[in-house]
Structures are given as C-alpha cells and as structure tokens.
Amino acid sequence: MQETDGPLAGLRVLEIGGMGPGPFAGMTLADMGAEVVRIERPGGLGIFPGDPTLDVVNRGKLCVTLDLKRPEAVAALLTMAERADALIEGYRPGVAERLGIGPEQCWERNAALVYGRMTGWGQDGPLAAAAGHDISYIAITGALHAIGEVGGPPQVPVNLLGDYGGGGMYLVAGLLAALREADRTGRGQVVDAAIVDGTAHLLAGTHALLNTGTWRDERGVNTLDGGAPFYGVYETADGGHMAVGALEPKFYKALLDGLALTEESPEAQYDRAGWPELRERIAKAFRSRTRREWTEVFAGSDACVAPVLSLVEAASHPHVRTRQTVLDEDGFVQPAPAPRFSAHPQARPARPAPFGRDTRKVLDAWGVDPEPLLRSGAAAES
C-alpha cells in the first residue's frame, strides 16, 4: 500500500478523524514508518482554516472519507479493523460505542487490536463527559498555576503542554507499550490517554521539588519558573529577548563574564535575598545591546544564553538549518520527524492528503469493496 521506512514499518493504524492530540499521535506514528489511515468525515471537521493539505499533523497519512453515521460505513470500518494493529479515536466517552465502533465491537473482529482513546478528562471521573480544551485540562493539574511572573496571572503556554505533551505523546507511548504486549499475548487493550493524566505525569519532577520543600507552590518565585535571575527572559535594546538558563555555577560565571558584570560574586548565585537587585543589573546589561549583538557575544559560550526566535526566524537558525530540524519545501514549512533513528535515514514526510484522496485504493487494499459505498454516499473520494 504505502512505501514506508522506519522502525514501525509494517504497523497498520486506523485514526478516526479528530483534532489536536489524536492526529498528532497519528502523525508521530506515521513519521516512524507506520501506515496510518485517517478516517475523515464528509467535509472534514470544519476547524482547520484554509487548505487541509497544509495541516501538518495529517502528513504522511492515507485519507479515506467515510460517513460513520451510515451503517454500511461502520461495517466497512470494522472490516478494516480486522487488518489493523491499532485504532485511535478522540470521541467523548460512549460515542464510539453508540456508533458501533467501540473496543468490544472491534475486538469481535480482531482480538489483538490496541484501541487508543484520546481525551482531555479520561474515560471516567466527574468531568469525563464535559467539554474542554488544553487550557481546561492543564488548569486542574497545577501546571497552569505554576506558569507566570510573580504577582501576575497564570500565562498560557500555547497548547503544547496539554494537547501535545500531556496528550498526544502519552498516547503514542501507551500505544507502543500495548502493541508490545499484544505481540506477546495476542490480546489488545484500551489505552486511556487523558491529557489531565499526562500533564500531571509531566509534573513529576516539580512534585519532587515540592515534596522536599525546594519548590514553593507559587508563580515566579522558584528556580525553574523565572524566579531566579539566572533563569529567565530579558529584553534587549531593540525589543528582542534573550533566554538565560545559567543554573550551574560554571554556566553562571560564563553569564557574568559575557555581561561584563565583573563586580558580581559567582558564589552568591543562590543567595535569594540578593535576587531582586541582581535581576535589575542583568536586565540593565541586556538592555544595552541588541539581540543580534548578544547572540554574537554568547556564541560558543557555555552560559546557556540563546536568542528568543519567532517561528519564522527559527527555521533559519544555523543549528536548526544544519540539522534540518525544520523543513521548507516550496513554502510548506513543517518540523522534521523526531526522534531520529540510526538505522533509518531522516524522512521527508509527504504533504497531508486531500480528504478522500485514498478512499478507493485503501478500502480495496483493506478488504472492503469501495464501489457500493461510493455509490451510496457512505464513502467519498476527491
């Protein structure tokens, strides 16, 4: 069906069209070589603005359009499940069962199928049936409370922390673990990937510090939340910003040397009483030059100082460009697959497919006659 290379080559995944973390998980599996078939509803979700072939999280996937409100489309999906290793869905609890494509219905066809459920709240609990988005989920874990300046409100960390960090990546990890067990036992299982669970899990190190009393349950007063003057962001003369992460003493000394703050004592780095004044002196120093100038000053230094780049600027950074971390093909910009594998060359992912582009060939290859479905409107092709 699909020429793939990667450690997951030969793995077959069905992804029921959704948004955010579910498609991101499917993209990640496709990046690693899995054959991922996205089952899209007629007309799509209507959420992505503009051309769906620019939606990076759907790259590398085959796209089939099925109307799962039609019984013949449900029957087709269950037939496809017989040949799949894993399935991903992001409905609220109970919706897949009502459609006739829940875990039990799939396991009647394929007992080894790993069934991945991607939600914000999880499959049970008081909020399981409630609506929500990334910001809702990270709010109740304590993560959102911890982000921001002292005395100020919590700051929104885009939707990286919940949707993709606590959500999509945990679904990928859970699917791979469950697939490993299915290989040994021949039995599939449900992977309940909830963003609240994953985000709380990401806070393990923060909880460790909280347990030892070295982390205060407040914003902007701790070493790793911008509370320390040697770990934060500073404005430059031209309105740009530099990120500073000089935690260790030797890195802190390199920071002081680069800023020419020769009067500062490296030994006083962790004297909290002096942090407010130290912050002002560091801020004053950074305001004396432009972002470009400070980038040149700290080039090759171990001060852990880096320019804060925009998304567009990042693609041109020498390190990013050399490693081809961000790919630009005829104006289509996307991150390269990650992580990298020594046994496989770095892939250049295919662009996202138009809705229904692969309907006919995929259904045929997965044991479903496409013609009756296309004639009845239960399936569509572009």
Side-chain angles (χ1 to χ4, degrees):
M1 264 303 298
Q2 189 179 29
E3 294 296 326
T4 59
D5 182 40
L8 297 184
L11 186 74
R12 284 182 147 189
V13 180
L14 293 174
E15 177 198 312
I16 310 300
M19 59 183 289
F24 178 80
M27 179 201 76
T28 303
L29 296 172
D31 286 347
M32 295 179 183
E35 179 180 322
V36 180
V37 175
R38 178 174 170 85
I39 307 297
E40 189 59 78
R41 69 184 68 181
L45 288 172
I47 294 173
F48 185 77
D51 185 353
T53 65
L54 299 178
D55 190 355
V56 173
V57 296
N58 286 328
R59 71 184 183 194
K61 304 173 186 177
L62 299 163
C63 187
V64 171
T65 299
L66 287 176
D67 184 355
L68 294 177
K69 294 182 179 179
R70 305 274 293 268
E72 59 268 46
V74 169
L77 180 66
L78 291 175
T79 298
M80 296 176 74
E82 295 173 7
R83 303 189 179 200
D85 299 295
L87 181 148
I88 295 171
E89 60 94 350
Y91 297 120
R92 295 194 203 189
V95 172
E97 285 81 355
R98 289 195 293 274
L99 288 172
I101 57 171
E104 297 295 339
Q105 289 125 328
C106 289
W107 288 332
E108 289 177 3
R109 305 292 192 95
N110 179 359
L113 181 75
V114 172
Y115 198 99
R117 316 197 86 158
M118 183 73 256
T119 63
W121 305 115
Q123 296 301 306
D124 53 30
L127 293 174
H133 278 295
D134 174 290
I135 195 169
S136 318
Y137 313 132
I138 68 173
I140 70 164
T141 66
L144 184 59
H145 172 270
I147 302 170
E149 295 183 357
V150 60
Q155 295 297 306
V156 181
V158 198
N159 67 330
L160 299 176
L161 176 57
D163 278 351
Y164 301 121
M169 289 309 299
Y170 275 87
L171 177 58
V172 170
L175 288 171
L176 295 179
L179 285 164
R180 174 79 172 88
E181 185 171 19
D183 282 343
R184 296 198 313 268
T185 66
R187 295 190 304 275
Q189 60 186 294
V190 169
V191 177
D192 177 4
I195 295 173
V196 289
D197 297 346
T199 303
H201 193 261
L202 288 171
L203 288 166
T206 309
H207 278 286
L209 296 174
L210 190 63
N211 292 340
T212 62
T214 52
W215 184 280
R216 287 160 53 186
D217 198 14
E218 303 172 42
R219 275 186 298 284
V221 299
N222 299 288
T223 306
L224 297 174
D225 63 359
F230 43 84
Y231 196 92
V233 176
Y234 290 93
E235 187 174 6
T236 56
D238 56 346
H241 293 86
M242 299 296 290
V244 176
L247 287 171
E248 293 84 350
K250 61 181 180 180
F251 300 155
Y252 178 61
K253 185 177 185 307
L255 170 67
L256 297 179
D257 291 344
L259 294 174
L261 293 177
T262 56
E263 73 282 8
E264 300 296 338
S265 169
E267 290 74 23
Q269 178 181 3
Y270 281 91
D271 177 9
R272 285 178 174 264
W275 280 5
E277 292 183 5
L278 175 60
R279 184 185 303 281
E280 283 302 315
R281 289 192 288 271
I282 293 176
K284 181 180 179 181
F286 272 115
R287 287 193 298 267
S288 69
R289 300 189 186 187
T290 66
R291 189 186 70 176
R292 180 189 293 273
E293 290 172 326
W294 283 120
T295 300
E296 292 172 356
V297 166
F298 286 103
S301 164
D302 274 348
C304 303
V305 175
V308 178
L309 304 179
S310 73
L311 286 169
V312 174
E313 291 174 321
S316 300
H317 187 276
H319 186 83
V320 173
R321 189 171 60 245
T322 299
R323 283 183 59 83
Q324 296 188 57
T325 298
V326 177
L327 308 174
D328 186 343
E329 203 166 319
D330 299 325
F332 180 61
V333 181
Q334 61 179 323
R340 305 182 186 196
F341 299 92
S342 63
H344 302 277
Q346 184 183 18
R348 296 190 72 86
R351 289 182 66 148
F355 294 151
R357 182 195 66 182
D358 308 300
T359 298
R360 188 182 298 269
K361 68 177 181 180
V362 168
L363 290 177
D364 186 63
W366 285 59
V368 177
D369 184 356
E371 300 306 330
L373 293 165
L374 291 167
R375 284 196 300 269
S376 71
E381 61 181 342
S382 58

